[in-house]
Amino acid sequence: MKIRFLVAMFLLLLPENIPAQNGRRVKISGNVRDADGNPVELVAVQVKNTVTGAMTDEKGYYSLTVVPGDSVTLLFSCLGYNKAERIIPSVTGDMRVNVQMNYVALELGQIEVTASRRNTTTLETIDADRLKILPDPSGGSIESLVVTQAGVSSGNELSTQYSVRGGSYDENMVYVNGLEVFRPLLIRSGEQEGLSFINPGMTESVRFSAGGFEARYGDKMSSVLDITYKKPKTFEGAASASMLGASAYIGSSVGKFTQVTGIRYKTNRSLLGTMDTEAEYNPLFVDLQTYLTFQPAPRWEINFLGNMSLNSYKFIPHNRETSFGTAYAPKSFIVYFDGRERDRFETFYGAATLKYVVNDKTEIGLQASAFNTREEESYDITSWYWLDNVGSDETGGTTDALSLAYFHEHARNRLSATVAHAGLYGISQLSAGHSLKWGAGVQRESITDKISEWESRDSAGYSLPQNGKEVNVIANLFSDNRLESARFSGYVQDVFKFRTAKGMFTVVGGIRGSYWDYNKESLFSPRLSVGFIPSANQNLTLRLATGFYYQPPFYKELRVETADENQNHVIRLNDKLKSQRSIHLIGGGDYTFPAAGRNFKLTAELYYKKLDNVNPYTVDNVKIRYYGDNCATGYIAGVDMKLFGEFVPGTDSWINLSLMKSEQTIRGTTRAPMPNSQLYNLSLFFQDYYPGNKYIMLNLRGVLAGGLPVTIPRKGYEAGYYRTPPYRRVDMGITCQLARGNSEIMERGFLQHFKNVWLGVDLFNLFDIKNTGSYYWVTDIYNQQYAVPNYLTGRRLNFRISVDF
């Protein structure tokens, strides 16, 4: 009895700060980042020799609780990274432990190879630093990296627009710092296009999804490209120059303020000089951007993104000679021009975000943006052309003239548009591996469109077409429209990550809703994706995704061409047009494996897209003409495969193969493929280095893609279609990293001011293959039409230099 009494007294007299007896726990939290400073998600954090643990979220954040006391050891593990261990000598209160995890590396002589990261959602991370070595005829754009991904295609090296799994160019979203950005509307050819919005030098991260993307992204049917700009921690900068233009950016951080500002200049005059048309090309494309952040208090942040872009294109054609046809029926097309074209596209964009971090688990923000574009397209070009059969006599001369005609093209097109957006968003970490995202916004649009264009032809003294004593132009188009409308949208998205005995699951589910007051349409778009890493084989990642994806009409989709009593074609806006719908079904996965001491990853995805309320369209170069009516249904199905790895030790290369089949049924009778559907697409990015010197790199980019469906102008698919020849192109570049930050040469003279210096030479279109971008349609006196190919650029040499400082 006395012993029990003494024990009870001892327990009562114990200090209150001994937590083992009072149940008090403390929190250990922090962030996990990789060697590049990027957050690492799905890192398992465990207290050694216990079952206590947590998992990092997409921001690399983790949080767990432990009993205060003596030494605690934390273990950090994630597939593709070396394990990390942190020992805390004494735990007395809440504390933060931040960790950097390094990629798993293999030592192969002097070569170090790193493993690829896991991907449990449909968003894929793209390394923007590859632009320094990529042979890119567009002059250096993020989109040139995107088109090297599986399921993405582009049939015009002068354009930064791309098609994803058979969708149109207008079905792709681009987000910068969480807000959607736009491109000019009147552009009809790659020659006019100029610079894309995204500044590669200012880019911190690039993520891309070819379908099945999350509800937080807007209403488009094909893909999303998500860009995040840099927030420099110290002074940094870079500059580059080539025969295609120049660019530079500077970033800095001073106290609570950071900024990164970039300027770009592009001219593709040297590339245009390889085309069939001899002309005075004067393209001038300039872009200025700045991204500013300010943190007035620890929990508040204000950021601003501003962009000003001027794209000017002047064109004075002189003559053209094009040979085409087959070996049995060769033809020659000769043209002499007079006149000129002047185009001008000015765009302005501003976006501001006010962010408030409520606590470690909750963040809310207010966003506002405005986009304005003023576009002018003017041309008056006359020409005489000859279309002949070639080599029809024994001497190989020309004996059969098919058409001799005078041609006049005229346009005075003006468009101005303003798009303003305001919204609110929130992110909450409900528990370990469980987060909620939501947002709501309103968008106001004001568009004014004035179009006046016509074409006339005179064949051997006869104007086309003929109608008794009347002489008509062969085609015309007029428009004087104004559109004022508002869109409302919102979304809720839940992200849930958990482990079971079978493996680790990542579930992303959400719903998106929207309303447009112009056509009085309400939309609801549920979306779901599931990622799974089985415990039995952690080299395997499986993904499933599905959802309803809508394409609300923008201004171009609304336009319908109608003919008046004089057969003049006038554009009216169809306020009854509804959103196109695509139901995505996607299944696939990744398998990582070593071979010959090197790392590889095989990715494969099967997809099926059921299309309803389709608004059919035709494509001419990069200009899209819509029917302006929900008169079709269809589907797109295919498979995308990608093998990524070290084809040469110490380098990253990959090869893609995409197979696709699509069909649309227009007005219940006409069946045709979707306009951007290629039956096959084989693309390759290959790297090698000079033996014994890994700083001299060879970079090869190639593509072999099936031809695209083509229709007769202004006829649509009802008059039939045929396919262009396959698109075949190989670009080669050699890059020498002349100086590096840790080399002796960088400590001498002028070079000591730079971190890295690269010199490069590119050979575009290595095999000088003539690819067809569009067609020039010629009509003879009998109204028979001939499609003369407009060939894209030929072989061209390019020199470039880039420096980091």
Side-chain angles (χ1 to χ4, degrees):
M1 185 70 179
K2 183 180 292 186
I3 294 176
R4 293 181 181 177
F5 175 79
L6 292 175
V7 172
M9 292 297 295
F10 176 77
L11 293 174
L12 289 173
L13 292 174
L14 281 175
E16 291 184 358
N17 62 355
I18 297 181
Q21 272 70 34
N22 61 22
R24 191 169 72 89
R25 301 178 70 87
V26 297
K27 182 174 74 171
I28 301 177
S29 61
N31 291 89
V32 180
R33 296 184 178 275
D34 61 19
D36 300 322
N38 300 314
V40 182
E41 65 172 332
L42 305 178
V43 176
V45 185
Q46 184 180 6
V47 179
K48 190 174 182 179
N49 298 326
T50 73
V51 294
T52 302
M55 187 179 299
T56 58
D57 61 17
E58 62 183 9
K59 295 184 177 180
Y61 176 80
Y62 73 93
S63 174
L64 52 82
T65 60
V66 299
V67 177
D70 294 333
S71 174
V72 171
T73 301
L74 298 181
L75 302 177
F76 298 81
S77 61
C78 183
L79 190 65
Y81 296 86
N82 290 315
K83 292 182 178 180
E85 183 177 300
R86 295 293 182 270
I87 300 175
I88 305 172
S90 178
V91 180
T92 59
D94 293 351
M95 62 190 310
R96 291 185 66 87
V97 178
N98 296 326
V99 175
Q100 175 182 304
M101 298 190 70
N102 298 315
Y103 297 109
V104 172
L106 301 174
E107 292 293 337
L108 302 173
Q110 296 181 346
I111 308 301
E112 185 180 87
V113 180
T114 58
S116 58
R117 63 181 62 184
R118 305 303 295 269
N119 185 24
T120 57
T121 69
T122 59
L123 278 172
E124 179 179 2
T125 300
I126 301 175
D127 184 4
D129 288 337
R130 297 189 191 278
L131 278 177
K132 291 184 174 67
I133 59 175
L134 185 72
D136 179 17
S138 71
S141 66
I142 294 294
E143 289 84 352
S144 65
L145 280 174
V146 173
V147 298
T148 66
Q149 306 304 304
V152 185
S153 62
S154 173
N156 190 332
E157 63 272 7
L158 293 172
S159 173
T160 58
Q161 300 192 60
Y162 52 88
S163 170
V164 179
R165 292 176 174 171
S168 81
Y169 309 135
D170 296 331
E171 295 175 14
N172 305 313
M173 287 179 292
V174 178
Y175 278 76
V176 177
N177 294 340
L179 287 166
E180 188 175 3
V181 298
F182 304 88
R183 64 170 64 239
L185 301 175
L186 280 183
I187 289 176
R188 57 185 172 83
S189 69
E191 294 93 314
Q192 301 172 308
E193 194 168 303
L195 292 159
S196 73
F197 183 94
I198 307 166
N199 187 318
M202 298 170 59
T203 299
E204 175 71 28
S205 66
V206 181
R207 297 195 297 172
F208 176 75
S209 173
F213 43 87
E214 302 167 6
R216 62 190 171 109
Y217 297 114
D219 292 308
K220 292 289 180 71
M221 294 199 303
S222 286
S223 75
V224 60
L225 178 61
D226 191 353
I227 304 295
T228 301
Y229 276 178
K230 296 177 179 178
K231 293 174 60 177
K233 297 179 181 179
T234 59
F235 178 81
E236 64 176 67
S240 64
S242 75
M243 296 174 64
L244 299 177
S247 65
Y249 88 90
I250 291 178
S252 62
S253 176
V254 180
K256 301 177 180 180
F257 176 78
T258 72
Q259 69 82 28
V260 57
T261 301
I263 186 170
R264 293 179 293 166
Y265 161 75
K266 175 184 173 182
T267 175
N268 52 10
R269 183 183 303 175
S270 63
L271 276 179
L272 298 178
T274 66
M275 303 176 75
D276 283 350
T277 300
E278 293 187 13
E280 298 176 34
Y281 295 99
N282 188 16
L284 175 63
F285 311 122
V286 181
D287 171 273
L288 176 65
Q289 289 192 41
T290 186
Y291 178 53
L292 314 173
T293 70
F294 178 65
Q295 193 171 11
R299 294 184 180 274
W300 291 89
E301 181 182 295
I302 304 170
N303 64 58
F304 172 78
L305 173 63
N307 169 263
M308 180 175 63
S309 177
L310 170 62
N311 295 336
S312 173
Y313 177 73
K314 297 179 182 178
F315 170 59
I316 303 176
H318 297 310
N319 59 77
R320 164 182 173 173
E321 183 172 354
T322 301
S323 299
F324 67 104
T326 65
Y328 300 99
K331 293 179 174 58
S332 174
F333 182 63
I334 301 175
V335 190
Y336 294 95
F337 297 97
D338 187 22
R340 67 177 58 197
E341 176 178 352
R342 295 179 179 176
D343 305 323
R344 188 178 181 89
F345 306 91
E346 296 179 353
T347 61
F348 304 88
Y349 179 84
T353 300
L354 175 63
K355 182 170 66 175
Y356 175 61
V357 179
V358 180
N359 51 49
D360 290 343
K361 297 184 178 180
T362 302
E363 172 189 315
I364 58 174
L366 180 65
Q367 297 174 316
S369 66
F371 168 79
N372 176 260
T373 179
R374 295 194 291 268
E375 306 174 24
E376 299 179 3
E377 184 183 45
S378 302
Y379 55 83
D380 264 299
I381 298 177
T382 59
S383 60
W384 281 97
Y385 66 77
W386 289 261
L387 177 64
D388 303 307
N389 280 324
V390 178
S392 54
D393 64 1
E394 295 180 355
T395 65
T398 299
T399 61
D400 185 12
L402 297 175
S403 181
L404 170 65
Y406 170 82
F407 188 65
H408 189 180
E409 295 177 289
H410 167 92
R412 295 292 185 272
N413 300 331
R414 305 289 184 271
L415 184 143
S416 64
T418 299
V419 180
H421 172 86
L424 183 70
Y425 75 90
I427 303 173
S428 296
Q429 190 72 32
L430 302 180
S431 61
H434 186 198
S435 64
L436 183 70
K437 300 179 181 181
W438 57 268
V442 58
Q443 180 170 294
R444 184 74 184 177
E445 301 162 5
S446 176
I447 301 173
T448 301
D449 181 27
K450 295 182 181 294
I451 291 179
S452 175
E453 59 183 49
W454 49 263
E455 302 174 13
S456 68
R457 297 183 188 177
D458 185 296
S459 181
Y462 294 92
S463 293
L464 298 175
Q466 298 183 67
N467 184 15
K469 297 182 179 181
E470 295 182 5
V471 177
N472 299 321
V473 296
I474 195 169
N476 61 11
L477 188 64
F478 301 97
S479 172
D480 187 0
N481 290 300
R482 182 176 179 84
L483 175 64
E484 299 276 353
S485 65
R487 303 176 193 260
F488 304 87
S489 63
Y491 70 89
V492 176
Q493 177 177 302
D494 196 7
V495 180
F496 191 38
K497 301 175 183 179
F498 59 94
R499 291 181 183 269
T500 69
K502 297 293 184 181
M504 188 180 68
F505 290 85
T506 300
V507 181
V508 182
I511 186 168
R512 184 175 188 89
S514 64
Y515 173 77
W516 191 24
D517 67 357
Y518 184 73
N519 64 358
K520 306 297 188 296
E521 182 181 31
S522 298
L523 301 174
F524 294 94
S525 174
R527 305 173 188 179
L528 175 68
S529 69
V530 179
F532 175 60
I533 302 176
S535 300
N537 187 354
Q538 294 197 6
N539 292 325
L540 182 65
T541 303
L542 301 176
R543 292 183 297 272
L544 293 172
T546 187
F548 287 67
Y549 294 85
Y550 291 91
Q551 181 91 11
F554 201 63
Y555 180 74
K556 286 197 300 184
E557 290 94 320
L558 294 171
R559 301 196 302 185
V560 181
E561 297 182 20
T562 58
D564 61 17
E565 64 277 4
N566 296 318
Q567 296 303 305
N568 292 314
H569 290 258
V570 180
I571 291 178
R572 66 173 181 84
L573 303 183
N574 181 8
D575 60 357
K576 306 298 182 183
L577 186 70
K578 300 302 181 182
S579 298
Q580 303 179 79
R581 187 180 71 173
S582 176
I583 302 176
H584 290 196
L585 297 172
I586 301 171
D590 306 326
Y591 178 65
T592 59
F593 61 95
R598 289 170 273 168
N599 293 323
F600 291 89
K601 181 171 76 170
L602 177 64
T603 299
E605 284 192 348
L606 292 165
Y607 63 89
Y608 178 81
K609 299 194 285 188
K610 184 179 184 300
L611 308 176
D612 299 302
N613 286 337
V614 175
N615 183 1
Y617 63 92
T618 59
V619 180
D620 182 12
N621 201 302
V622 297
K623 184 173 184 177
I624 296 177
R625 289 183 180 270
Y626 289 92
Y627 279 45
D629 188 16
N630 301 115
C631 59
T633 58
Y635 71 89
I636 304 175
V639 58
D640 295 329
M641 293 172 285
K642 178 179 182 179
L643 178 62
F644 176 95
E646 302 160 56
F647 295 6
V648 174
T651 66
D652 289 335
S653 303
W654 60 87
I655 185 170
N656 302 316
L657 175 62
S658 297
L659 304 174
M660 181 195 311
K661 178 175 174 54
S662 71
E663 185 176 86
Q664 59 180 335
T665 302
I666 303 173
R667 297 191 172 97
T669 57
T670 302
R671 292 191 174 185
M674 301 299 293
N676 278 311
S677 64
Q678 294 170 311
L679 299 177
Y680 59 91
N681 189 331
L682 177 66
S683 61
L684 168 74
F685 177 74
F686 175 77
Q687 293 187 80
D688 198 356
Y689 55 86
Y690 187 79
N693 189 341
K694 64 180 181 179
Y695 299 108
I696 300 178
M697 300 287 297
L698 168 70
N699 307 283
L700 200 68
R701 186 175 72 166
V703 61
L704 171 62
L708 296 171
V710 174
T711 63
I712 299 174
R714 296 169 292 276
K715 296 294 185 181
Y717 292 97
E718 292 83 351
Y721 72 91
Y722 64 95
R723 288 187 178 268
T724 63
Y727 183 81
R728 300 161 296 164
R729 185 179 177 93
V730 175
D731 298 317
M732 183 181 72
I734 298 176
T735 302
C736 174
Q737 192 172 357
L738 182 66
R740 303 167 299 282
N742 58 356
S743 64
E744 294 182 3
I745 192 174
M746 296 295 287
E747 300 176 359
R748 304 173 187 171
F750 180 69
L751 290 178
Q752 64 181 330
H753 302 290
F754 301 104
K755 297 178 182 177
N756 296 285
V757 179
W758 288 270
L759 294 177
V761 58
D762 301 319
L763 188 57
F764 299 135
N765 199 352
L766 177 64
F767 300 113
D768 200 23
I769 298 172
K770 291 191 174 185
N771 291 302
T772 301
S774 60
Y775 288 93
Y776 193 99
W777 292 86
V778 176
T779 307
D780 62 18
I781 187 63
Y782 304 106
N783 276 335
Q784 182 176 352
Q785 291 187 313
Y786 299 88
V788 181
N790 294 319
Y791 293 123
L792 294 169
T793 60
R795 184 188 294 124
R796 177 62 71 185
L797 200 63
N798 177 56
F799 298 94
R800 52 189 166 88
I801 181 173
S802 61
V803 297
D804 291 343
F805 53 85

